[in-house]
Amino acid sequence: MSDNTRVSGSLEVKPSSREAVAFDLLLKITSHEVQTGLTKDRDYWLTLYRQCYKATCGFDLAHILAKD
């Protein structure tokens, strides 16, 4: 059997677990927030990661932003 799959250009393979996706989302949000120059504490980072993780699980926005 012949495989006719072709790739043009660069290819990047990333883990697709919920945890990895949540971390990637955290990095994307952070890259936009860095422009403010505010220093963030550990509570901020853990809360942001938890919110990103909830988003990967399909929670609605109200549940994502709710304090657990």
Side-chain angles (χ1 to χ4, degrees):
M1 183 159 110
S2 174
D3 184 358
N4 293 328
T5 303
R6 294 176 190 218
V7 176
S8 175
S10 64
L11 177 67
E12 183 178 352
V13 178
K14 291 185 172 185
S16 61
S17 69
R18 286 186 175 159
E19 295 82 3
V21 172
F23 188 71
D24 286 344
L25 181 56
L26 176 141
L27 293 177
K28 287 183 186 294
I29 292 169
T30 301
S31 70
H32 291 286
E33 292 184 348
V34 165
Q35 298 170 6
T36 64
L38 298 174
T39 303
K40 310 293 186 188
D41 63 7
R42 183 177 290 185
D43 184 59
Y44 170 84
W45 292 110
L46 293 174
T47 299
L48 179 58
Y49 177 80
R50 179 68 180 142
Q51 290 170 340
C52 292
Y53 183 78
K54 285 176 162 181
T56 67
C57 294
F59 285 86
D60 61 42
L61 185 58
H63 286 100
I64 292 169
L65 299 177
K67 301 237 181 208
D68 294 336

